[in-house]
Amino acid sequence: MTVEELVAAVVALAVVSAKRLGAGLADRAVQGVEQSVVDRLGRLYRWIAGRLPGEEGAVLVHEAGRSPAAQALLRRRLVRALSEDPAGVEELRLLLAPASAFAHGGSVLRESPGVPRQLPSALADFTGRGQEIARLVEAAERPGGCRICLVHGPGGIGKTSVVVQAAHRLTASYPDGQLFVDLNGAEERPAVVAEVLGDFLAALGVPRGGIPDDEAGRTRQFRTESAGRRVLVVLDNAADEQQASALIPGGSACAVLITSRRPLATLAVDERVPLSGLDEGTAWDLLRRIGGADRVDEDPESGRDVVRLCGGLPLALRIAGARLATFPARTVSSFARDLADDHRRLDVLSLGERSVRAVFRAAYQPLPVLQQRAFRLLSALDTPDLPAWALSPLLDVDAGAADACLEGLLLAHLVQARRDRTAGQRIGLHDLARGYSKERAAGHLADEADEADEADEADSAVRRLLGALLGAADAADARLRPAGARHGGRDGAVRHAPPDDALAGNVREAVEWFEAERVVLVAAVTHAHARGWWELCWEITDAMSVALEHQWRWDISVRTHELALDAADSLGDGRARAALLRNLGEALRDGGSDLGRAADCFREAIELFQNSGDAHGESDALGNLGILQRQQGVLREAARTLTAAEMLFRGLPLERGLAWTLREKAVIGRHQAHYTRALAQLDEAQGLFAANDEPRGVGWVLRTRADTEKESVLDGCPLPRRWYTGPWPGHRVVGRPEQDPRWAAARTHYEHAARLLYAVRDHRGHTWTTLGLADMALYEDDHTAAELISRALRETDACGDHRGHSRALTVQALLRAETNRLSDAITLAEQALNGPHDHVGAAQASFRLARLYGAAGRHQDVLHTVRQSRTHHHAAGMPFPDLPDTGLAGALTRPVPRARRFRLHR
């Protein structure tokens, strides 16, 4: 038939449609009579209306039953519309073929099964996902053509449940039917598109004998049958873009909801909804609904353990809840214990046909060999994630092959990826996927008999990875201490070159790299120790020791150095032991956990470095022993030790070590009121740090300079003038401290130091700068002191800086007293004095506590604490009033100063 003949036939049908429907055929159809006639005529009507612009088609069909002129106009309009539309002509042929007999007065050729309603039942215990469902419903109801929505995510994440929930909400919007099919995309044999199309056509009323045999023909007919209808199509578990696109209907008023484990990136969709794990609250609700609220609530702690071990995976939670419901005599705590067993977890998360292991197996088995190997190796190092570049050394392939491999794993949802704050990509396994990865690697599964050599493969892969991590750590460590090595001997382990973009280019990048990789490096040390890879164990530990100091991770530093010392002893390497003892002493000292052992570590390290002729190591260990002695308040002994270190540093020369030593000597000079000499030492130290491009060192010098300038105004007097007007050696108060230009200089240097130390992520240095500013605000009677000291307390408490915490408490105590909370103030000051043994800190803390006792009228406590303060000041060589204890106690026994004025600092 020509186009003109087809149009003549369709116009004839339009006339019949108008007459038959007008005669009440629609009313009879409601009762089930001649339903196929109504369906066919209605479809024809919608097809014509869709081919002509605006409402012209509807008007012409209505008029065609009454006016020959309208019939002629309709024919002309349709011929013009179809003249350049071959696809439309073919649709019209298919539409007319089964209805031609009716057009000539014959009988209906087939019976329609009615409107398809194929949606599965929605889960009664469905929990959460409200935002995702709302997005799907809104997108599917949006006008303007066929809407396609995709929900994608890993197996077991609940994609089908979400789409079915959304589909049931949409049934009223799609009255012409809802089609549903499981495309088996995760199975070895996905559904055949031609067979699915045949089922769809039959559901839409096409007799099996009238369905074309080939896929192309069925696709055309499906598009024709759906044209003009409002049909909702749900394609569950699509394998790929090609499978899904072949099942998209042709009607502009239809909608399609698709689920897939893959993101189907090249498929044009209106709304993409990725699904991730349930949050803890929603997961808890789901477990209670399935396992029984009363049962779970009896032991909420164990219930939350179950939730945590299921990792937010809805399938795992459903199986866990079903197990609890199925075996009511079993306690929740015993189930949680079984689930906590790494070797049994996947066995426990299996019930009947449901299995978490099966989900991972379905994703793993179709992968290429290299991707399967990568999945197995990603669990070899016990760490939550890795930098994405780690795949290259793990697999021993170039970066391009590793990237392609990673893309495949991400598409299969076996690996998770995220961006870290350095803009690098990190990859990891879901906890349950990690269990399956370990099963595969260990060859525990029945089909893994060919993987007997997997352990050797994993060891080789992890050694390459650890070598690359060590190479990157070496580069970052060099950025943190650019002026030279602290010791020799770290060159025994085999290194592998990491990619260039994994290497730190400056101090800031080095600090960020160590922060990002800290957990990985600790896992590397632990793994190397367990495998007996002694060189890797101690060298990785040593490479990250400075970074751990920056990060205040003294507990981690102590733990890793204990393992590394065992590795050095296993090697019989005295140089390695010396280096590690130096690092361990620093961690013990700064963490305040064992100062006596810290001193022993430094002294043994000094001896070992001397015996090996390592002057770099000896000078560094000497300097650190001097810092410990200074922190303990043994200032005279500290000065001697630091002078010995200074002589070694000047002879090497090692400018970095010399600069730090000069800064420490300046601190001692400040405590002993030798301010001019201290400032000269700081001048030299700052010049050395600046010349060697070490901003962290400059920041510490500036902080110490600010401390020195501030105390030179006060001559070390530990109390503001409003609290104490008695004598203090060298202190002659003429006006308020902020009127002295040295005070303004101190504030400027604190603020500059804070910016530098924040930039290089030196939390300890930045916090002590905050302490200095808080102390200034206290002396100024500035209301910002309370805010500053609260911040300092949070930071020192979080990072375990006991000395800094005690200093902060003494300031907070005075602030509390000035707000009429004298009892609380005394408690805080007592806590400060009972902190780490430090003559300098204890000297200040005891004097402030004595003043608080005096405000409370506790005369005996005042006398006792004044004696303590005198002892600490003299032990440290710090100036102290030359008055009898009773006279000094009298000067301290005064009421609390008047209420603070909360004067804003300008």
Side-chain angles (χ1 to χ4, degrees):
M1 296 177 69
T2 65
V3 173
E4 287 76 8
E5 290 172 335
L6 286 169
V7 168
V10 80
V11 170
L13 276 171
V15 173
V16 173
S17 172
K19 291 178 179 179
R20 291 286 182 98
L21 292 178
L25 188 57
D27 292 336
R28 295 164 59 197
V30 173
Q31 303 171 15
V33 180
E34 297 185 72
Q35 176 66 53
S36 61
V37 175
V38 173
D39 284 347
R40 180 60 57 191
L41 294 178
R43 200 172 309 155
L44 176 65
Y45 173 88
R46 288 189 291 270
W47 186 90
I48 295 173
R51 285 292 159 182
L52 298 179
E55 298 181 357
E56 181 182 8
V59 173
L60 286 177
V61 171
H62 180 72
E63 295 293 330
R66 297 180 299 186
S67 167
Q71 295 174 22
L73 181 59
L74 179 60
R75 283 196 297 272
R76 289 197 299 273
R77 290 281 192 273
L78 286 175
V79 169
R80 186 183 307 164
L82 293 173
S83 62
E84 298 181 357
D85 186 5
V89 174
E90 185 61 28
E91 288 179 7
L92 185 56
R93 291 183 194 278
L94 292 172
L95 187 62
L96 289 173
S100 58
F102 174 71
H104 294 91
S107 61
V108 178
L109 298 180
R110 55 177 161 72
E111 295 181 0
S112 170
V115 177
R117 308 288 187 190
Q118 297 182 350
L119 295 181
S121 299
L123 293 173
D125 54 16
F126 184 84
T127 305
R129 306 294 197 191
Q131 183 178 0
E132 291 86 348
I133 292 172
R135 286 176 59 187
L136 292 172
V137 171
E138 188 278 330
E141 291 182 334
R142 203 180 298 154
C146 181
R147 294 303 178 188
I148 303 172
C149 305
L150 170 68
V151 177
H152 63 94
I157 206 69
K159 301 181 294 295
T160 301
S161 298
V162 167
V163 162
V164 169
Q165 291 286 332
H168 277 283
R169 295 190 190 184
L170 289 165
T171 53
S173 300
Y174 294 92
D176 293 336
Q178 301 90 43
L179 300 171
F180 180 94
V181 63
D182 182 353
L183 295 175
N184 296 321
E187 304 299 324
E188 186 176 350
R189 291 186 177 86
V192 178
V193 169
E195 294 177 1
V196 174
L197 285 169
D199 291 340
F200 278 1
L201 288 168
L204 290 172
V206 179
R208 289 289 180 180
I211 297 174
D213 294 330
D214 62 306
E215 180 181 322
R218 292 183 176 190
T219 299
R220 290 192 296 270
Q221 187 166 1
F222 175 57
R223 290 172 181 167
T224 299
E225 294 292 331
S226 57
R229 296 194 190 197
R230 293 188 63 83
V231 177
L232 177 66
V233 180
V234 179
L235 305 177
D236 189 33
N237 200 9
D240 51 37
E241 292 90 338
Q242 184 177 2
Q243 185 191 43
S245 61
L247 298 171
I248 304 289
S252 61
C254 295
V256 185
L257 304 181
I258 306 172
T259 74
S260 178
R261 295 190 181 185
R262 296 176 174 271
L264 307 186
T266 61
L267 184 67
V269 300
D270 297 283
E271 191 75 21
R272 291 181 184 274
V273 180
L275 287 190
S276 56
L278 299 176
D279 61 67
E280 184 178 351
T282 306
W284 171 256
D285 291 341
L286 181 59
L287 182 68
R288 290 177 73 250
R289 294 187 69 174
I290 299 174
D294 293 342
R295 180 101 177 280
V296 175
D297 290 346
E298 285 178 0
D299 188 356
E301 184 176 350
S302 297
R304 297 203 181 279
D305 286 341
V306 172
V307 167
R308 175 179 55 81
L309 291 165
C310 288
L313 191 70
L315 175 61
L317 288 160
R318 287 190 170 278
I319 294 173
R323 276 191 169 276
L324 291 174
T326 304
F327 305 105
R330 189 178 187 187
T331 64
V332 180
S333 60
S334 68
F335 180 73
R337 283 195 300 273
D338 288 346
L339 201 58
D341 186 340
D342 289 341
H343 300 293
R344 294 193 57 204
R345 187 172 304 151
L346 293 180
D347 292 328
V348 174
L349 292 175
S350 177
L351 185 63
E353 295 182 354
R354 288 185 166 187
S355 167
V356 171
R357 180 185 284 114
V359 169
F360 293 127
R361 182 189 298 120
Y364 172 84
Q365 286 181 333
L367 295 177
V369 172
L370 186 65
Q371 292 177 24
Q372 289 185 344
R373 182 165 164 252
F375 176 70
R376 296 192 302 268
L377 291 175
L378 281 173
S379 64
L381 188 63
D382 190 15
T383 180
D385 60 17
L386 288 166
W389 61 260
L391 267 185
S392 180
L394 270 177
L395 296 171
D396 199 19
V397 297
D398 61 38
D403 288 345
C405 180
L406 175 57
E407 287 183 0
L409 291 171
L410 290 171
L411 289 173
H413 288 287
L414 284 172
V415 171
Q416 299 171 336
R418 65 176 178 84
R419 282 278 177 193
D420 64 20
R421 64 193 218 174
T422 64
Q425 186 175 203
R426 305 197 68 78
I427 57 174
L429 300 173
H430 186 282
D431 287 346
L432 297 176
R434 180 176 296 279
Y436 186 70
S437 170
K438 290 180 177 179
E439 281 189 356
R440 285 291 188 178
H444 286 173
L445 302 180
D447 58 350
E448 294 286 323
D450 60 334
E451 294 184 7
D453 61 343
E454 200 64 49
D456 291 338
E457 177 192 52
D459 275 352
S460 298
V462 176
R463 287 197 77 144
R464 287 191 301 270
L465 174 59
L466 266 56
L469 285 168
L470 176 56
D474 280 342
D477 184 39
R479 293 294 182 185
L480 293 184
R481 45 180 185 81
R486 294 181 297 166
H487 59 79
R490 200 174 78 200
D491 57 5
V494 176
R495 286 154 170 78
H496 294 272
D500 291 342
D501 58 2
L503 298 176
N506 53 44
V507 173
R508 184 186 181 91
E509 290 179 4
V511 171
E512 290 177 341
W513 187 88
F514 274 118
E515 285 184 348
E517 304 302 344
R518 180 179 61 250
V519 174
V520 176
L521 292 170
V522 172
V525 170
T526 304
H527 192 98
H529 184 270
R531 292 292 192 276
W533 303 339
W534 307 126
E535 290 91 351
L536 282 167
C537 179
W538 91 261
E539 292 192 28
I540 294 174
T541 302
D542 185 59
M544 66 175 172
S545 62
V546 173
L548 290 174
E549 176 206 346
H550 280 212
Q551 299 165 8
W552 288 21
R553 303 291 180 174
W554 298 306
D555 54 339
I556 296 175
S557 186
V558 170
R559 191 165 68 247
T560 53
H561 277 86
E562 297 285 12
L563 295 176
L565 276 170
D566 184 60
D569 291 344
S570 298
L571 288 169
D573 189 337
R575 294 186 304 169
R577 180 174 177 79
L580 295 167
L581 284 169
R582 191 221 71 85
N583 301 341
L584 179 58
E586 188 173 35
L588 293 167
R589 177 196 69 204
D590 292 342
S593 56
D594 192 339
L595 300 184
R597 189 184 176 201
D600 292 340
C601 287
F602 289 136
R603 291 191 174 97
E604 184 182 350
I606 291 167
E607 182 180 356
L608 289 170
F609 280 130
Q610 286 175 340
N611 293 339
S612 65
D614 188 342
H616 286 81
E618 180 188 356
S619 58
D620 200 46
L622 266 173
N624 275 280
L625 177 60
I627 295 172
L628 172 62
Q629 292 166 340
R630 191 267 299 167
Q631 290 181 354
Q632 291 177 305
V634 189
L635 299 187
R636 297 182 184 89
E637 187 176 352
R640 289 193 294 270
T641 303
L642 289 167
T643 297
E646 179 185 353
M647 293 175 63
L648 280 173
F649 283 128
R650 291 189 185 277
L652 285 173
L654 187 58
E655 293 181 343
R656 173 188 177 277
L658 175 59
W660 283 110
T661 301
L662 290 170
R663 191 207 78 90
E664 289 296 326
K665 294 186 73 173
V667 173
I668 295 173
R670 168 171 63 86
H671 289 322
Q672 296 179 334
H674 303 314
Y675 303 117
T676 302
R677 184 171 66 194
L679 289 171
Q681 290 166 331
L682 291 171
D683 285 340
E684 184 179 359
Q686 184 171 344
L688 292 171
F689 280 133
N692 286 279
D693 190 25
E694 192 161 355
R696 177 176 180 252
V698 174
W700 275 78
V701 167
L702 288 171
R703 181 184 73 78
T704 307
R705 184 183 296 278
D707 289 339
T708 306
E709 291 162 339
K710 177 190 69 178
E711 292 191 17
S712 69
V713 176
L714 306 170
D715 284 304
C717 182
L719 284 170
R721 182 172 177 79
R722 65 185 182 279
W723 276 92
Y724 177 67
T725 57
W728 194 265
H731 191 41
R732 301 287 184 270
V733 177
V734 178
R736 298 183 64 83
E738 59 266 37
Q739 294 172 340
D740 191 304
R742 291 173 295 175
W743 196 263
R747 179 177 298 280
T748 299
H749 290 136
Y750 274 136
E751 292 170 349
H752 189 188
R755 289 192 296 271
L756 284 174
L757 294 170
Y758 179 81
V760 298
R761 302 291 196 274
D762 187 334
H763 307 301
R764 182 160 61 108
H766 188 269
T767 297
W768 278 81
T769 303
T770 303
L771 282 171
L773 286 167
D775 210 43
M776 290 187 76
L778 172 70
Y779 279 88
E780 295 171 344
D781 198 12
D782 181 355
H783 78 282
T784 59
E787 178 186 345
L788 289 166
I789 211 62
S790 295
R791 185 197 314 164
L793 282 166
R794 287 194 303 270
E795 292 175 357
T796 54
D797 186 54
C799 298
D801 184 356
H802 305 297
R803 290 176 57 251
H805 198 71
S806 295
R807 301 289 174 88
L809 285 176
T810 67
V811 177
Q812 190 179 50
L814 296 179
L815 297 175
R816 289 281 176 87
E818 292 185 354
T819 57
N820 299 318
R821 298 165 69 183
L822 182 57
S823 178
D824 289 349
I826 290 173
T827 300
L828 291 173
E830 289 172 342
Q831 291 175 8
L833 189 56
N834 293 329
H837 189 266
D838 167 6
H839 284 305
V840 175
Q844 182 186 68
S846 56
F847 199 79
R848 289 178 173 178
L849 176 59
R851 178 63 182 86
L852 292 170
Y853 282 148
R858 296 167 56 172
H859 304 296
Q860 291 302 315
D861 288 330
V862 175
L863 276 171
H864 172 71
T865 314
V866 162
R867 294 188 187 106
Q868 276 186 289
S869 185
R870 186 186 302 276
T871 299
H872 287 302
H873 276 85
H874 287 169
M878 298 166 63
F880 194 76
D882 188 17
L883 284 178
D885 292 342
T886 53
L888 195 53
L892 292 170
T893 305
R894 298 281 188 278
V896 173
R898 62 184 175 79
R900 299 171 68 237
R901 293 171 295 165
F902 296 103
R903 181 182 57 81
L904 276 173
H905 172 76
R906 293 186 181 276

